[in-house]
Amino acid sequence: MASKVAGQGGQTFSSILRFLKIFTLNLWRRLLMLGHYTVICFHQQRLRCAWRVLGRRVHEALESGEVNPMLAGEVKDSLAKAQNLKAAKDRHYQAIAALREKIRASRAEEPSPPPEAEPAPAQESEPPPGPEAEPAATPESEPEKPQS
């Protein structure tokens, strides 16, 4: 009897420590997510500036008589910079999604009960499948007969 009480105290302490560990890890992950969101805001500001520069360079290329302004060197460089910034921003969103998945997985983690060794019931041999009978016609599906 005394050993059961002592075992329960150890289990309680163990579950408290496991909860604190999960809480601390998830708190750290949330702080990392906050950092990612901060970097995303910085990238968004730079992306807006890159779009303004890209638009200005396209406009300047059109004014100089360029038929296809996207082929101009300066425009290509501005476009590449904007695409790189967008890709960096997307990488941070993917990192946030991965952190959220880790948090979700750690919350769903519960101690599984010990596996019980149950003998599997012997399966009876099934009779060979016979020809399937056609479904009988229901009165609802029969056509109506005209009354004379």
Side-chain angles (χ1 to χ4, degrees), residues 71-123:
L71 297 177
E74 293 176 347
V75 175
K76 282 184 178 179
D77 294 340
S78 296
L79 182 62
K81 182 179 178 183
Q83 288 174 339
N84 289 340
L85 287 170
K86 184 148 179 61
K89 187 175 148 183
D90 289 340
R91 281 193 304 269
H92 284 285
Y93 276 121
Q94 290 171 354
I96 288 171
L99 287 170
R100 284 186 177 162
E101 186 60 36
K102 285 181 182 180
I103 290 172
R104 193 174 298 120
S106 70
R107 278 193 284 164
E109 190 177 287
E110 294 180 1
S112 60
E116 296 178 11
E118 293 183 17
Q123 294 183 353

Side-chain angles (χ1 to χ4, degrees), residues 3-144:
S3 63
K4 288 183 180 179
V5 173
Q8 288 176 350
Q11 288 177 350
T12 304
F13 184 69
S14 172
S15 63
I16 289 172
L17 286 178
R18 187 181 37 191
F19 170 77
L20 287 175
K21 181 184 112 179
I22 291 171
F23 180 78
T24 306
L25 282 173
N26 287 345
L27 182 66
W28 176 247
R29 289 173 180 151
R30 287 183 178 102
L31 286 173
L32 283 175
M33 286 171 51
L34 182 64
H36 282 291
Y37 277 122
T38 305
V39 172
I40 286 172
C41 288
F42 174 71
H43 281 303
Q44 183 62 36
Q45 291 296 333
R46 291 185 58 199
L47 189 59
R48 285 184 188 139
C49 179
W51 283 336
R52 282 193 303 268
V53 170
L54 176 63
R56 185 175 61 239
R57 289 191 176 160
V58 167
H59 184 68
E60 289 171 357
L62 283 173
E63 283 183 350
S64 67
E66 184 74 34
V67 176
N68 189 355
M70 297 306 285
L71 297 177
E74 293 176 347
V75 175
K76 282 184 178 179
D77 294 340
S78 296
L79 182 62
K81 182 179 178 183
Q83 288 174 339
N84 289 340
L85 287 170
K86 184 148 179 61
K89 187 175 148 183
D90 289 340
R91 281 193 304 269
H92 284 285
Y93 276 121
Q94 290 171 354
I96 288 171
L99 287 170
R100 284 186 177 162
E101 186 60 36
K102 285 181 182 180
I103 290 172
R104 193 174 298 120
S106 70
R107 278 193 284 164
E109 190 177 287
E110 294 180 1
S112 60
E116 296 178 11
E118 293 183 17
Q123 294 183 353
E124 299 176 11
S125 61
E126 296 179 11
E132 295 180 338
E134 294 181 10
T138 59
E140 298 170 353
S141 65
E142 292 179 10
E144 295 182 22

